[in-house]
Amino acid sequence: MNFASDNTAPIPPQIMAALLRANDGYAMGYGNDPLTARVQSRIREVFQAPQAAVHLVATGTAANSLALALVCPPWGAVFCEAQAHVNMDECGAPEFFTSGAKLVGVPGNHGRMSPDTLAYALAHTGASGVHGVQRGALTITNVTEAGTVYTPDAIAALTALARAKGLPCHLDGARFANALVATGATPAEMTWKAGIDVVSFGGTKNGLMGVEAVVLFDPARSWELELRRKRAGHLASKMRYLAAQMDGWLDDDLWLSLARDANAMAARLARGIAPHATPMHPVEANMMFVRWAAGTHDRLRAAGAMYYPWTAPEGQEAARLVTSWSTTEADVDRFVAALAS
Ligand SMILES: Cc1ncc(COP(=O)(O)O)c(C=O)c1O
């Protein structure tokens, strides 16, 4: 009963098998191996973007920070939802990698920026000439930090505003597959067709040991991204093992079926706990935030449940519950029973 995060899950056997297959003999380092080239090409196919540049890194923070550093100058503002991972949970890495760009938190509704709130932030930034930061870039997270999802249309509405000001647009897709299966959108519809220039295409939250791909739809600055990655210490020398994970994950659309399983378990969990818990946001993918009566944490912990407690109003308790590809119906049902007891 571990609902702490999707990164507490183990690695699917297909990924371990892919790693074993890659562990055969010698391969050139730093991405100069056939498996890395194959995965780059498969990711281009997934995104229907034959021209895209694809670079692998081991963490989501590296993917986000490198991508933002590429598109935003040091004197720029990166517009993001106020609770975005880049703003709250990356220890200033985006600011550090961009050499000082300012993250501007845009108020969200259930984790989603609206065109109105973004338009307001755009209008009120960069208006004081040389004295203030200039508008730099937009970043959108899908699945959002509230566990909700943006449809491609909702993304396009935001990117249109940013693009009208000449800003490049980034998507933090740490849970990209969960957002895709929740909406039925294709990777292309969720990204470049909706005005996204660069994506952090996440694998770690969806079954991989630790790989994210930075996908740059205009490859003109691919070399710069490579230089930035190396300079930041994120060029893996044994890259074939990062590539192997993504290779096994793309086989037979495993990545989508893992995300479908995680989302289905979240839906089951949300249904089961509904009589005893109040959702704080709509449950749309594999992560939910709920409130319940004080004293519930102790009872659930005693039953062996693990999750992160969340900030709650006086007299109540709250929790973040995340499901993964490896969450079972039995895990969910035991949790629901413990909550109901
Ligand atoms: C939305 C989002 N983006 C990025 C990350 C960063 O991933 P990592 O912990 O691999 O740096 C996370 C991890 O929790 C996340 O939830």
Side-chain angles (χ1 to χ4, degrees), residues 58-62 64 85 90 141 143 145 172 174-175 205 212:
T59 72
T61 300
N64 287 341
H85 200 272
E90 297 189 356
T141 313
V143 173
E145 279 70 18
D172 175 354
R175 296 186 176 86
K205 308 279 187 208
E212 322 279 309

Side-chain angles (χ1 to χ4, degrees), residues 186-231:
T186 66
E189 286 164 350
M190 192 64 92
T191 58
W192 60 269
K193 289 187 178 175
I196 297 293
D197 299 289
V198 54
V199 189
S200 303
F201 177 35
T204 312
K205 308 279 187 208
N206 189 29
L208 299 188
M209 198 180 282
V211 192
E212 322 279 309
V214 181
V215 183
L216 192 57
F217 294 113
D218 175 357
R221 294 174 69 195
S222 174
W223 177 236
E224 181 183 336
L225 185 64
E226 289 200 53
L227 294 173
R228 286 181 178 276
R229 179 179 62 173
K230 174 66 187 181
R231 189 165 180 264

Side-chain angles (χ1 to χ4, degrees), residues 47-120:
F47 282 89
Q48 296 172 266
Q51 79 294 346
V54 178
H55 299 294
L56 305 183
V57 290
T59 72
T61 300
N64 287 341
S65 304
L66 288 167
L68 290 173
L70 194 71
V71 297
C72 186
W75 49 86
V78 176
F79 298 92
C80 59
E81 200 274 334
Q83 301 304 317
H85 200 272
V86 288
N87 198 23
M88 303 301 282
D89 296 300
E90 297 189 356
C91 196
E95 293 90 331
F96 180 64
F97 278 47
T98 54
S99 302
K102 177 174 177 169
L103 271 74
V104 174
V106 177
N109 186 14
H110 296 305
R112 287 179 284 238
M113 286 178 271
S114 71
D116 286 350
T117 54
L118 178 61
Y120 184 90

Side-chain angles (χ1 to χ4, degrees), residues 125-336:
T125 304
S128 56
V130 76
H131 302 287
V133 288
Q134 305 298 297
R135 300 179 194 104
L138 170 67
T139 178
I140 300 171
T141 313
N142 208 14
V143 173
T144 73
E145 279 70 18
T148 54
V149 299
Y150 288 97
T151 61
D153 282 351
I155 289 180
L158 298 175
T159 60
L161 291 170
R163 286 175 164 269
K165 302 278 189 207
L167 306 191
C169 302
H170 165 252
L171 186 90
D172 175 354
R175 296 186 176 86
F176 187 69
N178 303 89
L180 285 188
V181 299
T183 56
T186 66
E189 286 164 350
M190 192 64 92
T191 58
W192 60 269
K193 289 187 178 175
I196 297 293
D197 299 289
V198 54
V199 189
S200 303
F201 177 35
T204 312
K205 308 279 187 208
N206 189 29
L208 299 188
M209 198 180 282
V211 192
E212 322 279 309
V214 181
V215 183
L216 192 57
F217 294 113
D218 175 357
R221 294 174 69 195
S222 174
W223 177 236
E224 181 183 336
L225 185 64
E226 289 200 53
L227 294 173
R228 286 181 178 276
R229 179 179 62 173
K230 174 66 187 181
R231 189 165 180 264
H234 277 286
L235 173 61
S237 74
K238 287 190 152 177
M239 186 73 82
R240 71 167 137 157
Y241 295 99
L242 270 65
Q245 297 172 57
M246 281 220 163
D247 197 44
W249 191 66
L250 294 173
D251 281 346
D252 304 320
D253 285 342
L254 175 67
W255 64 296
L256 294 173
S257 72
L258 295 173
R260 235 174 251 120
D261 289 348
N263 286 12
M265 288 304 106
R268 183 182 183 95
L269 182 62
R271 275 196 308 275
I273 66 176
H276 315 283
T278 308
M280 293 155 68
H281 308 293
V283 179
E284 296 177 353
N286 70 320
M287 178 163 66
M288 68 197 74
F289 296 81
V290 292
R291 288 200 307 265
W292 47 44
T296 307
H297 286 334
D298 285 347
R299 203 167 73 250
L300 287 168
R301 275 195 207 109
M306 293 183 76
Y307 55 84
Y308 283 110
W310 221 247
T311 311
E314 187 73 21
Q316 286 197 311
E317 292 173 353
R320 183 185 85 158
L321 305 173
V322 188
T323 55
S324 73
W325 71 272
S326 69
T327 305
T328 62
E329 292 187 353
D331 292 331
V332 170
D333 296 350
R334 274 206 299 139
F335 186 91
V336 171

